[in-house]
Amino acid sequence: MSTPQLHKCADVTVVPVKTTIHFSITDKVGALDECLGAIKAMNISLTRIESRPSKTSDWDYDFFVDFDAVDAEQVSQVSKKLESLAKQVHVVGTGGASGAIATSELPDSTPWFPRKMVDLDTFADKVLEMGEELNADHPGAKDAVYRARRSEITNIAKTYRTGQPIPHIEYTKVEIDTWTTVFNKLITMFPTHACREHQYVFPLLIQNCGYGPSNIPQLDGVSKFLKDCTGFTLRPVMGLLTSRDFLNGLAFRVFHSTQYIRHHSRPLYTPEPDVCHELLGHVPLFADPAFADFSQEIGLASLGASDTDIERLATIYWFTVEFGVCRQGDNLRVYGAGLLSSFGELEYCLSDKPEVRPFEPAKVAVQKYPITEYQPVYFVAESFKDAQMRVRDFANSLQRPFSVRYNAYTESIEILDSKDKVLRYAQSIKSDMLTLVDALEKLA
């Protein structure tokens, strides 16, 4: 889970920065050796090399090479050298969550972003705050037993890697009692405050995932349930990720979820996301196809986005996935997880106290908001599909030199930055359209 806190690129180089360069070469003897030799001659060690059949019409091969750049000049030198040896050379990404090269220094590049599911492993030990370290005002800050337990659970998340089963957590009686208090309090309000999609899925979670007042569901079972419903999966996380890292995960239909629980002394309050927030607030909506599509739309828009655009997208995320309200019939209902997991604000948000505005992404993206108190303003979506289309239109206005799509078959991001790649994508859509037409004809 993430709050909209942003990484700001520094004006000077501080640490080596992960950089990815893409290029294509013709299938001829020694072509790749020439390219790699040129990079090696510049005293650069590659951290990864990937090869794929080219998306172009030529019988070329696409290569992605990763290395730790010391500054923008080095990236430019590598790029220029490769241009004399290969085709379609461009810097896919520079920087990322811990980057130090300002994108303004590399006008033809974009911030680094994950291209394959396994790339999310690089986020495993990068958190902004909380996790095993607690702020002085955290309810459990002075509880040595609680802090040790938090450290134990966050270390499990730190070592998790893509493809592994999510580790099972044996929750203690104290932790289960805390869950019981939260669960019993919130389920009394869901029928009158939660959106119909949340109410529809919640009984299925009780039947299939062990949701109940005396049991904290395990992420692994919940993740498999979501996978069957919408293709979304859960991934354990140590604490708050940067907005960029967290939103990038949504592009792969991956939700980073905590496994620890709030301190027992204040069961109805938490200064951070915890397993109650994730399982009671977020999970039910990720089982809804329209909401899953909407969430992934925000994630796809974040890939390679500038720091300014990440801030805008994170604000949209805040006012939708976290604190969203929607119109259903003549009533307003809640779909934001920050509201659905907070007894007090769930009651407040549908009262006549806060201001309610229509969901317009361009306006939402620049709206200021408090983090430690109830929101004075909420934005109302007409439907998840309508919100998705509006976010897609907004994303098209962002400054990014290419479009992207998620390939669910390969669990990877495809960069649509050439005519050949777009044509190949169109061919896949044509195949789906033929299937649709055939189905409609059989139903006629």
Side-chain angles (χ1 to χ4, degrees):
M1 168 63 213
S2 169
T3 57
Q5 298 174 326
L6 302 174
H7 152 68
K8 297 294 185 182
C9 291
D11 294 330
V12 297
T13 300
V14 179
V15 294
V17 180
K18 186 173 185 179
T19 300
T20 301
I21 292 183
H22 163 268
F23 58 91
S24 299
I25 61 174
T26 303
D27 184 18
K28 67 176 183 179
V29 177
L32 178 60
D33 289 340
E34 287 182 2
C35 294
L36 299 183
I39 297 175
K40 185 177 180 181
M42 301 173 69
N43 295 318
I44 294 174
S45 297
L46 299 179
T47 57
R48 183 168 63 172
I49 304 173
E50 291 182 18
S51 61
R52 295 288 185 275
S54 179
K55 296 286 196 254
T56 67
S57 57
D58 299 324
W59 292 92
D60 295 336
Y61 291 95
D62 288 344
F63 285 87
F64 291 87
V65 295
D66 292 353
F67 64 95
D68 293 327
V70 297
D71 54 29
E73 178 61 26
Q74 186 181 57
V75 177
S76 296
Q77 289 176 359
V78 174
S79 182
K80 290 177 180 178
K81 186 63 179 178
L82 287 174
E83 285 174 357
S84 65
L85 302 170
K87 298 186 293 184
Q88 298 187 359
V89 179
H90 61 271
V91 181
V92 175
T94 300
S98 59
I101 297 177
T103 54
S104 59
E105 297 180 53
L106 294 166
D108 295 328
S109 74
T110 56
W112 181 91
F113 59 88
R115 300 189 313 276
K116 300 170 62 178
M117 186 79 77
V118 71
D119 289 343
L120 300 183
D121 290 346
T122 63
F123 305 162
D125 58 354
K126 295 190 302 183
V127 292
L128 292 173
E129 58 181 276
M130 299 302 180
E132 60 183 336
E133 298 298 328
L134 303 182
N135 291 337
D137 58 352
H138 191 285
K142 297 181 180 180
D143 186 336
V145 174
Y146 179 76
R147 291 174 65 92
R149 176 62 168 165
R150 283 278 293 249
S151 179
E152 176 188 347
I153 294 176
T154 55
N155 281 335
I156 291 174
K158 184 177 182 179
T159 59
Y160 176 82
R161 292 296 179 267
T162 298
Q164 298 176 348
I166 300 176
H168 184 98
I169 303 295
E170 289 290 346
Y171 289 103
T172 66
K173 183 180 184 306
V174 171
E175 291 168 336
I176 294 174
D177 287 345
T178 301
W179 164 272
T180 300
T181 300
V182 178
F183 185 92
N184 287 339
K185 195 75 171 177
L186 288 174
I187 61 172
T188 63
M189 297 191 68
F190 286 163
T192 54
H193 289 68
C195 63
R196 68 170 67 97
E197 291 81 0
H198 186 283
Q199 293 188 53
Y200 175 75
V201 171
F202 205 79
L204 299 178
L205 293 169
I206 293 174
Q207 295 170 13
N208 296 278
C209 301
Y211 273 57
S214 59
N215 179 65
I216 303 177
Q218 295 294 326
L219 292 194
D220 193 56
V222 175
S223 183
K224 291 175 180 175
F225 174 80
L226 291 180
K227 180 74 171 179
D228 288 342
C229 293
T230 61
F232 250 91
T233 58
L234 302 180
R235 181 187 175 106
V237 68
M238 292 177 64
L240 292 174
L241 293 173
T242 66
S243 294
R244 182 181 296 281
D245 289 351
F246 180 78
L247 295 179
N248 282 182
L250 294 178
F252 293 81
R253 296 203 169 215
V254 171
F255 179 75
H256 286 82
S257 173
T258 55
Q259 287 181 287
Y260 49 75
I261 198 166
R262 61 195 66 183
H263 194 259
H264 57 84
S265 65
R266 300 186 65 183
L268 299 181
Y269 166 78
T270 177
E272 49 170 352
D274 72 332
V275 74
C276 296
H277 171 78
E278 321 286 33
L279 295 179
L280 298 175
H282 281 295
V283 163
L285 272 302
F286 282 123
D288 177 75
F291 183 82
D293 291 345
F294 166 70
S295 300
Q296 186 178 33
E297 198 71 43
I298 297 178
L300 289 169
S302 76
L303 298 176
S306 67
D307 284 345
T308 298
D309 287 339
I310 286 292
E311 183 172 9
R312 293 178 182 139
L313 290 168
T315 302
I316 290 174
Y317 176 90
W318 177 269
F319 282 112
T320 54
V321 181
E322 287 295 344
F323 293 94
V325 177
C326 60
R327 192 175 304 282
Q328 295 188 332
D330 297 328
N331 301 309
L332 294 183
R333 290 292 182 262
V334 172
Y335 69 92
L339 299 173
L340 291 166
S341 60
S342 170
F343 179 81
E345 192 163 4
L346 184 56
E347 183 176 40
Y348 160 86
C349 71
L350 296 186
S351 70
D352 57 0
K353 296 179 181 179
E355 180 182 354
V356 176
R357 302 176 187 172
F359 178 69
E360 299 176 47
K363 295 180 179 180
V364 175
V366 296
Q367 176 66 38
K368 302 300 180 183
Y369 55 86
I371 296 177
T372 58
E373 58 189 65
Y374 293 169
Q375 301 301 306
V377 177
Y378 298 99
F379 293 90
V380 180
E382 293 303 316
S383 69
F384 295 146
K385 185 56 66 176
D386 178 70
Q388 179 191 2
M389 292 300 101
R390 289 175 181 270
V391 168
R392 178 173 294 178
D393 290 341
F394 176 78
N396 289 335
S397 71
L398 303 182
Q399 299 302 308
R400 188 174 61 180
F402 53 81
S403 295
V404 297
R405 69 178 289 259
Y406 176 63
N407 188 323
Y409 298 115
T410 61
E411 297 187 328
S412 63
I413 299 297
E414 294 182 355
I415 304 170
L416 305 177
D417 59 352
S418 71
K419 182 179 178 180
D420 288 323
K421 292 179 181 179
V422 173
L423 286 175
R424 179 167 294 192
Y425 178 35
Q427 289 172 353
S428 69
I429 295 176
K430 180 180 179 181
S431 177
D432 289 340
M433 287 300 296
L434 291 174
T435 302
L436 175 61
V437 170
D438 180 61
L440 290 174
E441 289 177 346
K442 291 179 178 178
L443 291 173

